[in-house]
Amino acid sequence: MSEAGALEDESSPAEVAGSLLVFRAGGTTLGIETSFVERLVADDLPRTAVPGAPAHILGVINHRGAAIAVLDLLTFLALPPADDPTRRLVVVRAAGMGAAIPVQAIGGIERVEFDFARLEDAGALDHTRGLLDLESGPVYVLDLPQLLQAAAARPS
Amino acid sequence: MTFTVRARILLLTIAPVLLLAYPVLVYFPAQFAAASRNGLEAKLGSISRLLGHTLGSDLHLMASGGVMAADLEDQIAGLEDDGDVLRVGVYSAEAKFLAGLHSTATTAPSVEGLVPQGERRALFESTPGELRIVSRVFVTPETDEGEPPAASKHVGYLVIDASLASVTKLQSEQRATAIGIGGAALILGVLLALFVGTRISGSLTEATALASEVGRGNLRVALPEPKGSDELASMLGSLRGMVEGLHALEAQAQAIARCDLSTITEGEGDLHKAFAQMVTQQRELVHELSETATELETSSHEILATLRDQEAGANEQASAVEEARRTMISLLDASAQIADAAKLVHTNALRTKESSAETADRTGQLNQLTVRIGDVLIGITKIADRSDILALNAALEGTKAGEAGKGFILVAEEMRRLAENVLGSVRDISELVEAIRVASQASVLATEQGVKLSLETANSANQIRLTSQQQQSGTEQATQSMNEISEILTQALSGARQTTGAVEDLSQRASRLRELLSQYVLEDGRP
């Protein structure tokens, strides 16, 4: 929360209105601010394995002529797995890094007004800003810049 | 042939008279006649000898002519007055008639019966009622003294015929006398026999009438008191004793008739002994009959109970057989219905097999269509998925556009919702198609199984039909047998009922016999 507090201190007022892309990774419903989402594609692009990459990097794909790493949130965040396969890739960009996150399903784009400072504690789940209660259920709001930095920084 | 006492007495009286009639009427007259004839023959012999001596010299002299035929006739003329002499003839030695006496006869006798050689005379009956004596006449020539006597010389024959009329007359007179005496004796005897016979026969007739009445069973006849001590009185006394004995036997017979066998009449004689033996045997017979009747009654009761059980069993058997027969008939109808139903099932199974094969073909075609639908759905799914992504990206871009992109966001959301609906519909259709495919495969399998089952059903139905026909035939035979058994059981039941009726009648008769026998009183007073 300290990292979230830093972001809040840098750019965000205490309560902002924004959009949240809600998706399901494994058995967990997560949310990413749409400002970090670049594009959604079908998870049918050919992946190229990267030798020596960490376990949460599944490989790279060619997205509009650029190589983007495929980040496995289940492995990286130690989320519980799901029975169904991933069907979408959420192409995100933050902190100057891009990544493609495979997800099982896209819940939609939720327009919300939220105060990151008053989000409930996500508990043991790292790299989150907190837990947000929506009509469709609780959503863990990811701190994507921190996530991507941590993913990039974690050794294999 | 039977004779009355009177006839017998008469016959016994007449019989000696008749026995004496023969010597009186035949023998004695015949003896008198024979004696008379002997006298006549002796007389003729004497005459013949006397005349022979006289005629011998004349016949000797007649050869020398010294004597004539008239002299000869004079010699025999003395016989003319003899009533017995009929004819006299003198013949020469050569059987030449010389002289004769014809005063009592018209013809001279002939020398028919010559005297046998060596005999001097012969006497025989020349014709019925006449005797003839023929004598050889000899002469002995005279010799001088000192000379041996000369041999006798046959010089002729003397023939005398005599009548037997005197003999016959004497015999007739003797017979008439005997007849007169015998007839009188016969009449006297008959009268005497009739008198005596009537006396004896009258008493016997009266005794016989009484005995006849007794013989006819009438013991109430009035028997006269015997008079005297002769055989008739003794007979009446015996008859009286016999009647008294019969009275005693009658009393015992009446007691027996009253079933009283306790006493036996004392008496001598075979009849009393026979009566006593009869009573004794009747006692034993009644005793044995009583025991036999009791055993017979008991046995008949037991037999009756057994027969009633048998009759009840036969009734149950008849009912069971009748039930079985009705069941057989029901089975027969059921077999016929099963055969018809099996035939129908066989036909329907063949039709089902054909329709199942057609259904399998159609189901295969349906399966192919579902595969094609699946392919189409895959394409639709891809399109919807791309539309979903496209709508999400559009909404994302609208979000980034701020207020200007709100409308775009709405459209994108609608597109995404549409895509999701399409995907949901596709999923539903896919599930339906999958269900159809699974159902089609199941249908194919079921149809194939149905075809197989139809064939098996057809075969089974045919087998059932054949079996039902065999069962029908067997059931018909069984029904026929049950009918025969039912008829036999009916006859047996009828026979058992008749036997039961006969045994019931026997039991009643045994009871009746025992009751009748219980009326008898035996020697010890027990029934």
Side-chain angles (χ1 to χ4, degrees), chain B residues 284-356:
Chain B
E284 295 175 356
L285 180 63
V286 168
H287 188 64
E288 291 181 359
L289 280 175
S290 297
E291 292 180 351
T292 304
T294 303
E295 293 175 357
L296 183 61
E297 187 180 19
T298 305
S299 300
S300 63
H301 285 164
E302 294 175 355
I303 293 171
L304 188 61
T306 305
L307 282 174
R308 281 176 176 161
D309 290 341
Q310 289 180 351
E311 186 178 348
N315 273 323
E316 293 178 357
Q317 285 182 349
S319 301
V321 167
E322 180 63 22
E323 184 67 24
R325 193 177 68 81
R326 284 199 291 268
T327 305
M328 287 295 175
I329 292 173
S330 301
L331 281 175
L332 194 61
D333 296 338
S335 296
Q337 292 177 1
I338 288 171
D340 294 340
K343 186 177 180 181
L344 185 60
V345 168
H346 181 258
T347 304
N348 290 337
L350 292 177
R351 290 178 182 173
T352 303
K353 183 182 77 69
E354 294 174 356
S355 62
S356 296

Side-chain angles (χ1 to χ4, degrees), chain A residues 19 34 37-40 42 44 87-88 106-107 109, chain B residues 385-386 388-389 392-393 395-397 399-400 413 416:
Chain A
S19 298
T34 56
V37 178
E38 187 172 312
R39 195 164 183 80
L40 298 172
D44 56 355
R87 298 178 58 239
R88 297 284 184 265
I106 302 296
I109 296 171
Chain B
D385 192 61
R386 296 297 178 189
D388 182 60
I389 293 173
L392 282 171
N393 285 324
L396 191 62
E397 292 301 327
T399 303
K400 291 176 180 177
E413 288 178 352
R416 188 166 181 257

Side-chain angles (χ1 to χ4, degrees), chain B residues 67-129:
Chain B
V67 175
M68 300 303 288
D71 296 330
L72 293 177
E73 290 176 356
D74 290 338
Q75 290 291 339
I76 63 176
L79 296 176
E80 190 175 1
D81 296 332
D82 194 320
D84 295 327
V85 177
L86 295 176
R87 293 175 293 273
V88 179
V90 181
Y91 295 82
S92 64
E94 292 78 20
K96 181 180 177 181
F97 182 75
L98 299 177
L101 182 63
H102 305 288
S103 60
T104 59
T106 56
T107 58
S110 59
V111 185
E112 292 177 351
L114 293 177
V115 180
Q117 195 66 31
E119 296 289 335
R120 285 189 173 269
R121 62 185 58 86
L123 179 63
F124 53 88
E125 192 169 350
S126 59
T127 57

